[in-house]
């Protein structure tokens, strides 16, 4: 007998997310499982420093406070809770949950998953954690756990693990698991799937978006939705944006399955309901990603305010006055943001910001010696000298890198409610079958970009263009993967996709974003989503914690791209360049079975004849 769909929600997308979300999700409507994602690269660094101060810490303490009320609510409603809030010490958080349950008088069975912590194997590491899959979560739920605490698992495993438990899937159910992984990727960042951080946010009321949930069916298909009466919106656009977030390539590699993002199909299932179908899965790689954080050194930062006339000359003066103090500092970065306006009506809008960021292995060279030299300029530098904040002491910064280890070498273990330790074997792999590649190289699309001020109709007829921002036709979402950034861009209509696919080559992308020039950029196509995904290698240096650039997590890189102007065919532009209504993407033809060498070689899709069918268009952690 087939089982009804699993109704699984999310109540946290990061450590520090909306505190009341756990209560909102438990009281807002029916759920079977509630998940919470608390881990990211920066979070592991923070938890690592906590553990240095106190070995009993290393987990997300916010989650424990949320459970003071949420534990009773979940018990009353029969909702299982699955979270990676265990961070570096899942056993410690599991014990704390048991103590809390006894204190509030709620009978719950608590299990946890461990084995991801490989710090002892990495010389000089603050933290080193393998990204485990969902099989340990599945095992805990199968033995009756009400609360499952994990350390570093993939974000999507918080959903695929419960789905495998609910439907009794086996490791060879690749397509079903891949569908759950894709649903998990949509849910993992909370309200980013319901209109948060969305390019076309003005189309919806997103002042307080509700958290998302998925209704997952036995075949792995899913409907993304939210509790009734909550804010925000679930549309093909909001789901597409999250699907493109922090992914690299068409194969979304995971420890349980490799999900083919080029097979994802979206369709409208009613108000605030988007159905995901067609997801194909392949065997997982034989290795697991390991995220490693290290203390990289010491940093400091000062921002000088330059007001009125002679901005460039004032900036040059400060640089020259601090040159001696900066001599010998390992890394010095000056940036001048021309936020000033001519003949400005307020002092603030008449001012520019000169930012100095310094990094060095020693705190001495970027500490008091430097800040004192900056303070001493106060009465002897440019007219109007002041800074946004007093200079502070040097602060330690972290560096994130990743490596891989054989999955069979990681002691993935489910610690069941009765204390039994159950080893979780790596997924079986046929001995003669080759492993999927760790990363699939994708060449830039062969289609040439139209000349700068010219476009053509079919048959070669000239097509009028207008200089306009890319965002008039396309949405974008961007984020970080260690020192790399990804930028996903999707077109909002079939004709716009045909143009975008031909126009936004790697070369054009780098022209529009000059900061990416000289860096390796890969371009991946996802025609079912009418989307391109760009990976920019090394733009974030040592990762978010190193403070390498102005936007250290590349969160706004996509919005910068949308704001850049290029020549766009007039017939594609909406009236007054305003964003079109939030329409779903049409369903393209299903791709051929099996892996393709690279999508960029496929011919551009032709515009559909007649009315388009309605609705259609991991990762390894945040």
């Amino acid at each position: 007998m087939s089982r009804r769909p699993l109704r699984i929600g999310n109540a946290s997308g990061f450590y520090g997310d909306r505190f009341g979300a756990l209560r909102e999700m438990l009281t807002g409507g029916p759920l079977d499982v509630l998940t919470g994602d608390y881990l990211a690269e920066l979070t592991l660094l923070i938890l690592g420093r906590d553990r240095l101060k106190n070995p009993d810490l290393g987990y997300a303490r916010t989650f424990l406070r949320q459970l003071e009320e949420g534990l009773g609510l979940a018990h009353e409603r029969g909702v299982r809770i699955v979270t990676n809030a265990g961070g570096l010490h899942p056993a410690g958080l599991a014990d704390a949950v048991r103590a809390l349950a006894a204190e509030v008088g709620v009978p719950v069975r608590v299990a946890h998953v461990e084995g991801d912590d490989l710090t002892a194997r990495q010389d000089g590491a603050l933290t080193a954690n393998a990204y485990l899959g969902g099989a340990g979560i599945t095992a805990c739920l199968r033995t009756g756990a009400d609360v499952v605490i994990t350390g570093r698992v993939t974000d999507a495993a918080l959903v695929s693990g419960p789905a495998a438990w609910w439907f009794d899937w086996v490791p060879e159910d690749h397509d079903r698991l891949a569908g759950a992984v894709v649903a998990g990727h949509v849910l993992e960042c909370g309200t980013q799937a319901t209109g948060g951080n969305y390019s076309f946010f003005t189309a919806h009321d997103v002042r307080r978006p509700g958290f998302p949930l998925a209704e997952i069916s036995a075949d792995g298909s899913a409907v993304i939705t939210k509790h009734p009466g909550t804010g925000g919106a679930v549309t093909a656009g909001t789901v597409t944006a999250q699907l493109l977030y922090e992914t690299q390539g068409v194969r979304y590699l995971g420890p349980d399955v490799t999900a083919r993002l080029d097979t994802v199909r979206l369709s409208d299932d009613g108000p605030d309901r988007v159905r995901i179908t067609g997801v194909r899965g392949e065997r997982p790689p034989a290795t697991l990603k390991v995220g490693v954080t290290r203390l990289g050194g010491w940093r400091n930062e000062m921002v000088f305010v330059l007001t009125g006339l002679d901005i460039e000359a004032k900036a040059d003066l400060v640089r020259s006055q601090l040159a001696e103090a900066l001599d010998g500092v390992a890394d010095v970065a000056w940036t001048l943001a021309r936020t000033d306006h001519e003949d400005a009506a307020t002092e603030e809008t008449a001012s520019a910001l000169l930012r100095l960021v310094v990094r060095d292995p020693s705190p001495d060279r970027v500490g008091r010696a430097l800040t004192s030299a900056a303070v001493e300029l106060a009465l002897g530098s440019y007219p109007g000298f002041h800074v946004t904040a007093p200079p502070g002491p040097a602060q330690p910064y972290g560096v994130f890198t990743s490596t891989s280890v054989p999955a069979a070498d990681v002691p993935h273990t489910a610690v069941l409610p009765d204390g039994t330790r159950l080893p979780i074997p790596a997924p079986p792999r046929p001995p003669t079958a080759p492993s999927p590649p760790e990363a699939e190289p994708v060449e830039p699309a062969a289609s040439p970009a139209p000349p700068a001020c010219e476009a053509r109709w079919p048959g070669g007829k000239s097509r009028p263009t207008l200089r306009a921002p890319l965002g008039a036709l396309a949405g974008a979402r961007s984020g970080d993967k260690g020192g790399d950034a990804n930028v996903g861009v999707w077109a909002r209509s079939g004709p716009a996709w045909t143009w975008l696919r031909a126009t936004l080559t790697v070369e054009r992308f780098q022209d529009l974003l000059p900061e990416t020039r000289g860096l390796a950029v890969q371009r991946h196509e996802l025609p079912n989503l009418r989307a391109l995904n760009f990976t920019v290698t090394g733009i974030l240096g040592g990762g978010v914690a190193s403070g390498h650039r102005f936007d250290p997590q590349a969160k706004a890189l996509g919005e910068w791209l949308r704001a850049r102007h290029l020549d766009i065919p007039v017939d594609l532009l909406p009236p007054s360049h305003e964003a079109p209504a939030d329409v779903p993407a049409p369903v393209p033809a299903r791709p051929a079975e099996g892996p393709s060498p690279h999508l960029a070689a496929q011919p551009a899709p032709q515009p559909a004849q007649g009315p388009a069918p309605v609705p259609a268009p991991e990762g390894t952690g945040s």
Side-chain angles (χ1 to χ4, degrees):
M1 183 176 69
S2 62
R3 196 165 191 188
R4 67 170 175 81
L6 168 69
R7 195 169 168 90
I8 184 166
N10 169 280
S12 176
F14 68 100
Y15 191 10
D17 209 342
R18 189 189 304 169
F19 185 84
L22 190 140
R23 175 184 172 81
E24 292 170 18
M25 289 300 290
L26 288 172
T27 59
L31 288 175
D32 300 303
V33 177
L34 182 59
T35 68
D37 179 10
Y38 291 78
L39 300 185
E41 293 162 4
L42 181 60
T43 313
L44 269 297
L45 181 72
I46 294 169
L47 296 180
R49 293 176 64 182
D50 284 351
R51 187 170 63 175
L52 284 178
K53 299 172 186 174
N54 183 347
D56 293 332
L57 297 180
Y59 55 78
R61 287 172 280 176
T62 300
F63 171 73
L64 199 59
R65 292 194 290 117
Q66 290 173 301
L67 277 193
E68 290 175 4
E69 179 186 23
L71 201 59
L73 290 172
H75 178 67
E76 290 169 8
R77 290 159 172 76
V79 178
R80 312 291 180 104
I81 294 177
V82 179
T83 179
N84 61 15
L88 303 177
H89 195 9
L93 181 56
D95 287 341
V97 172
R98 292 186 189 99
L100 175 64
E103 181 182 334
V104 299
V106 178
V108 295
R109 293 159 294 184
V110 183
H112 73 274
V113 178
E114 60 184 40
D116 60 294
D117 192 345
L118 306 181
T119 306
R121 302 188 194 181
Q122 295 285 331
D123 291 341
L126 179 62
T127 68
N129 296 83
Y131 288 73
L132 302 179
I137 297 170
T138 304
C140 291
L141 292 171
R142 281 175 176 163
T143 54
D146 301 303
V147 178
V148 181
I149 307 294
T150 79
R152 178 75 277 186
V153 296
T154 66
D155 299 344
L158 298 176
V159 171
S160 61
W165 156 69
W166 188 261
F167 297 111
D168 204 26
W169 292 337
V170 297
E172 291 78 16
D173 286 326
H174 292 149
D175 290 348
R176 296 181 178 91
L177 286 167
V181 163
V182 168
H185 178 55
V186 174
L187 297 192
E188 71 184 53
C189 289
T191 55
Q192 280 197 168
T194 58
N197 299 353
Y198 182 52
S199 290
F200 303 101
F201 66 95
T202 57
H204 311 288
D205 182 358
V206 293
R207 288 173 294 178
R208 189 180 174 84
F211 278 70
L213 61 94
E215 298 168 357
I216 301 178
S217 296
D219 63 355
S221 63
V223 172
I224 306 299
T225 184
K226 61 187 183 71
H227 282 325
T230 56
V234 177
T235 69
T238 65
V239 173
T240 296
Q242 178 57 25
L243 282 172
L244 296 174
Y245 183 63
E246 295 183 346
T247 58
Q248 298 171 311
V250 300
R251 285 186 169 89
Y252 192 57
L253 302 180
D256 297 317
V257 69
T258 296
R260 290 291 300 256
L261 297 181
D262 55 340
T263 63
V264 175
R265 294 156 64 88
L266 303 185
S267 59
D268 186 4
D269 197 62
D272 290 317
R273 293 176 62 84
V274 173
R275 183 173 294 278
I276 302 175
T277 58
V279 184
R280 302 302 303 272
E282 299 170 350
R283 290 189 308 275
T287 58
L288 297 182
K289 175 183 173 181
V290 180
V292 182
T293 65
R294 290 183 169 86
L295 294 178
W298 299 81
R299 74 183 298 277
N300 213 330
E301 179 175 335
M302 285 164 278
V303 179
F304 302 87
V305 182
L306 316 175
T307 305
L309 304 177
D310 305 318
I311 296 295
E312 299 286 349
K314 290 171 179 174
D316 288 343
L317 177 58
V318 176
R319 293 190 190 102
S320 64
Q321 288 179 308
L322 287 179
E324 184 177 347
L326 292 170
D327 186 36
V329 174
D331 186 17
V332 178
W334 290 96
T335 56
L336 176 60
R338 293 301 301 264
T339 53
D340 54 304
H341 298 263
E342 186 177 359
D343 194 21
T346 66
E347 182 179 339
E348 185 174 4
T349 57
S351 300
L353 300 176
L354 178 64
R355 179 171 177 254
L356 169 64
V357 178
V358 289
R359 284 178 288 270
D360 197 86
S362 167
D364 298 333
R365 283 192 286 268
V366 293
R368 181 176 296 276
L370 176 60
T371 58
S372 295
V375 169
E376 289 169 2
L377 298 180
L379 302 181
S381 187
Y382 62 86
F385 179 99
H386 66 287
V387 293
T388 56
Q395 298 293 328
Y397 71 88
V399 174
F400 178 88
T401 57
S402 64
T403 183
S404 62
V405 296
D409 291 351
V410 175
H412 189 175
T413 305
V415 184
L416 307 180
D418 64 359
T420 301
R421 300 179 63 83
L422 179 65
I424 304 298
R429 304 184 58 79
T432 58
S435 301
E438 285 293 327
E440 177 177 297
V442 178
E443 298 297 327
S447 307
C453 297
E454 181 182 355
R456 298 282 178 183
W457 292 103
K461 185 178 178 182
S462 181
R463 190 176 185 183
T465 63
L466 189 66
R467 198 79 176 165
L470 178 63
L473 296 183
R477 179 163 286 166
S478 56
D480 62 314
K481 280 291 184 185
D484 302 342
N486 96 289
V487 184
V489 188
W490 77 95
R492 311 196 77 213
S493 71
W497 161 239
T498 301
W499 175 84
L500 180 73
R501 188 181 198 181
T503 302
L504 196 57
T505 61
V506 168
E507 293 75 15
R508 182 64 60 85
F509 178 89
Q510 292 180 308
D511 286 343
L512 294 172
L513 303 184
E515 291 180 22
T516 67
R517 293 174 186 164
L519 300 173
V521 176
Q522 283 191 319
R523 175 187 190 265
H524 310 277
E525 293 190 7
L526 299 168
N528 281 13
L529 301 177
R530 296 193 304 229
L532 302 172
N533 211 350
F534 295 87
T535 301
V536 185
T537 303
I539 191 171
L540 303 179
V544 54
S546 70
H548 180 75
R549 70 187 294 272
F550 170 68
D551 176 14
Q553 289 182 278
K555 298 292 188 183
L557 198 60
E559 287 300 296
W560 178 28
L561 178 65
R562 292 183 67 239
R564 295 308 309 269
H565 287 223
L566 64 171
D567 296 293
I568 298 176
V570 173
D571 61 291
L572 297 180
L573 290 169
S576 304
H577 304 168
E578 294 176 355
D582 197 23
V583 294
V587 184
R590 185 184 180 93
E593 302 277 329
S596 59
H598 55 75
L599 286 175
Q602 297 178 358
Q606 298 302 311
Q609 300 298 315
V614 214
E618 143 156 331
T620 48
S622 299

